[in-house]
Amino acid sequence: MRDDTRRWIEADKAHCWHPFTRQGEWCAPDQEPLVLTHGTGPWLWDSEGRKYFDGNSSIWTNIHGHAHPVINAAIRDQLDKTAHVSFLGFTHPLAAELAVKLCGFFPPQTLERVFFSDDGSTAVECALKMALQYRQQSGEPGRTRFIAFADGYHGDTLGAASLGGIGRFFDRFRSHGYECGHVRTLDELCGLDAETIAAVVIEPLIQGVNEMRPWPAGMLAELRDWCDDRGVHLILDEVMTGFGRTGTMFACQRENVIPDFLCLAKGLTGGTLPMAATLTTDAVYQAFLGAPERAFYYGHSYTANPLGCAAALASLRVFDEEQTLAKLPEKIDRLRAGLSALKAAHPVIREVRQCGLIAGIELRQPDGTRFPPERRTGEAVCIAARAHGLLTRPILDTIVFMPPLCATPDEIDSALAALHAAISGDLE
Ligand SMILES: *Cc1c(COP(=O)(O)O)cnc(C)c1O
């Protein structure tokens, strides 16, 4: 191990605290975390000079590849002007341009306002607060509840966490958050009294943290109808599904659904800088006009950060210049073929689930039962995959494969070959 690598690992173990991480294990003497230093396209390098395919798009964020020249140039250009100015009391050119661009993805008179924040969780927080304040200011103070879906994930700040349907993440904080009911299916939702519901929140087309589980086709459009018939707002959390992952720019476009609130983050800047946006309708916005106390009292210091806006605008330009969406069908087909070959080769693959360029590969014992959780099978396979040049993370025993959209069909094949080798080596 190089001296630098050793020094960085020691410093990390002495002072860093990682997300969702058992720090005791992380800091154990025999653990050698990878120190990732740079990347290009869908490839990353560690401090020992080893090259890896970024198989989960750096935790679901990266779109056009690492160190993309167009995005980097846009960030540099803005950096020479200013890295940050206040969006409270001022505006700046790129925020105005980005807001126009984002609204432009939707028909006129639909999503027309953009509220910027920093992360997926804050995009969701912002939608929740807007949805509640809207009810207070439009004569419906009794609509105070949210409904979310079982096993859903919407972020980790307290408000977003109260929507979360995954017990191991959220149960301990449940009593501190918003009033939120959970349903498994649309049928269960239909059984509820809609009068007290402010909004329903869903990850459209596919639940991410729930081991990549797609919804039945048509479900989103039905949910939209249910909400419309009862005056309930629909909040779509497209933090994972946004920006081409499912094959269209936004997942909701697949079912011609337009939400009342759309939450965007991860891929917004192409995966370069933390930035989020909550889009909403003019009908919602109007309720915040008039008396001063009707204003939306919410914001963050780095709201509409100019570097983030520059990156987001550049990422959207790259979608056009590289015809990113037009190239997706071939990649999605190649992924589908690769996944089915992988499944055919391995009895331990119980199911492969795919939505666009998002895939979950669920491992089970050959008799169909789950592996004992303490065996941490998914984790072991992902660690084995590193030796074959593939980086990704599992969710329980489901291996996530979600390449940057720029990956070529052949790169997708070779990443799946690495996974094949890892499963053969580790489990068979
Ligand atoms: C990642 C994610 C979030 C949270 O986003 P952060 O940027 O991590 O706060 C919310 N919703 C979904 C669907 C996500 O995948």
Side-chain angles (χ1 to χ4, degrees):
M1 191 189 292
R2 294 178 189 173
D3 286 348
D4 274 349
T5 304
R6 193 181 315 282
R7 195 163 48 77
W8 288 322
I9 291 176
E10 276 170 15
D12 177 291
K13 288 185 175 180
H15 294 290
C16 293
W17 191 341
H18 291 261
F20 303 103
T21 298
R22 304 175 204 195
Q23 283 289 135
E25 286 175 14
W26 176 269
C27 294
D30 60 336
Q31 282 294 311
E32 283 181 21
L34 296 187
V35 182
L36 299 174
T37 53
H38 60 286
T40 170
W43 302 97
L44 288 168
W45 279 261
D46 72 9
S47 55
E48 297 290 295
R50 293 172 296 212
K51 181 184 177 187
Y52 306 91
F53 183 83
D54 187 358
N56 76 344
S57 293
S58 293
I59 203 69
W60 316 356
T61 59
N62 195 282
I63 301 286
H64 304 296
H66 293 274
H68 193 287
V70 172
I71 301 178
N72 281 9
I75 295 171
R76 269 191 213 107
D77 189 48
Q78 179 56 41
L79 191 56
D80 286 338
K81 295 174 181 152
T82 171
H84 188 61
V85 293
S86 172
F87 208 54
L88 173 60
F90 305 96
T91 189
H92 65 83
L94 299 186
E97 285 174 25
L98 179 57
V100 170
K101 275 266 185 213
L102 291 175
C103 294
F105 285 109
F106 299 91
Q109 269 101 55
T110 58
L111 296 172
E112 297 201 312
R113 286 283 158 184
V114 180
F115 195 97
F116 291 109
S117 60
D118 311 323
D119 284 286
S121 309
T122 55
V124 171
E125 291 287 348
C126 174
L128 298 177
K129 286 198 172 173
M130 275 182 185
L132 282 182
Q133 192 173 335
Y134 170 83
R135 299 298 180 180
Q136 291 164 5
Q137 293 175 182
S138 48
E140 303 168 288
R143 286 195 187 264
T144 55
R145 301 178 69 206
F146 294 102
I147 301 296
F149 285 84
D151 299 315
Y153 178 83
H154 299 286
D156 287 303
T157 54
L158 198 48
S162 44
L163 305 177
I166 301 176
R168 70 184 187 280
F169 284 54
F170 302 117
D171 281 350
R172 73 182 83 237
F173 297 116
R174 180 114 20 237
S175 60
H176 299 278
Y178 285 116
E179 204 187 329
C180 182
H182 288 88
V183 293
R184 286 209 159 266
T185 60
L186 211 49
D187 279 349
E188 271 184 40
L189 180 66
C190 295
L192 298 182
D193 167 20
E195 302 277 294
T196 57
I197 302 174
V200 175
V201 187
I202 188 170
E203 297 160 83
L205 296 194
I206 178 167
Q207 287 186 319
V209 177
N210 185 21
E211 299 176 84
M212 302 298 165
R213 265 174 231 286
W215 292 109
M219 183 271 201
L220 188 62
E222 274 183 63
L223 175 60
R224 176 72 274 189
D225 289 345
W226 186 91
C227 289
D228 283 344
D229 291 348
R230 288 158 187 81
V232 171
H233 279 150
L234 177 62
I235 301 176
L236 292 189
D237 176 351
E238 292 229 28
V239 172
M240 175 184 81
T241 53
F243 301 101
R245 286 282 172 214
T246 68
T248 46
M249 191 54 116
F250 301 106
C252 59
Q253 294 168 320
R254 295 270 296 277
E255 297 200 6
N256 283 316
V257 163
I258 296 172
D260 301 284
F261 300 90
L262 178 67
C263 305
L264 303 173
K266 291 189 171 106
L268 172 59
T269 59
T272 58
L273 290 164
M275 170 149 211
T278 307
L279 276 62
T280 191
T281 62
D282 188 56
V284 168
Y285 176 73
Q286 289 295 326
F288 291 80
L289 304 181
E293 66 277 10
R294 291 169 74 90
F296 188 47
Y297 269 82
Y298 181 95
H300 296 285
S301 321
Y302 284 96
T303 296
N305 173 254
L307 296 178
C309 291
L313 281 165
S315 172
L316 295 177
R317 273 203 307 281
V318 175
F319 268 99
D320 286 337
E321 287 168 8
E322 297 187 358
Q323 291 292 294
T324 304
L325 294 181
K327 289 178 187 159
L328 285 180
E330 189 194 353
K331 300 177 185 189
I332 292 168
D333 287 349
R334 191 69 78 92
L335 176 59
R336 183 172 299 109
L339 289 171
S340 93
L342 193 66
K343 180 169 188 294
H346 297 285
V348 292
I349 298 180
R350 158 77 166 202
E351 186 173 71
V352 292
R353 296 183 283 270
Q354 182 186 0
C355 178
L357 274 189
I358 302 167
I361 298 148
E362 184 172 351
L363 305 172
R364 295 267 183 108
Q365 308 195 74
D367 67 2
T369 58
R370 288 183 180 270
F371 285 101
E374 65 279 8
R375 195 178 175 289
R376 291 154 80 177
T377 306
E379 215 173 290
V381 167
C382 290
I383 289 179
R386 290 181 187 177
H388 302 282
L390 172 66
L391 295 185
T392 188
R393 275 185 72 82
I395 301 166
L396 304 176
D397 288 340
T398 294
I399 312 297
V400 174
F401 184 69
M402 193 192 293
L405 304 190
C406 69
T408 64
D410 288 351
E411 285 170 336
I412 289 171
D413 277 347
S414 68
L416 290 179
L419 199 51
H420 170 76
I423 294 172
S424 308
D426 191 63
L427 285 176
E428 289 159 7

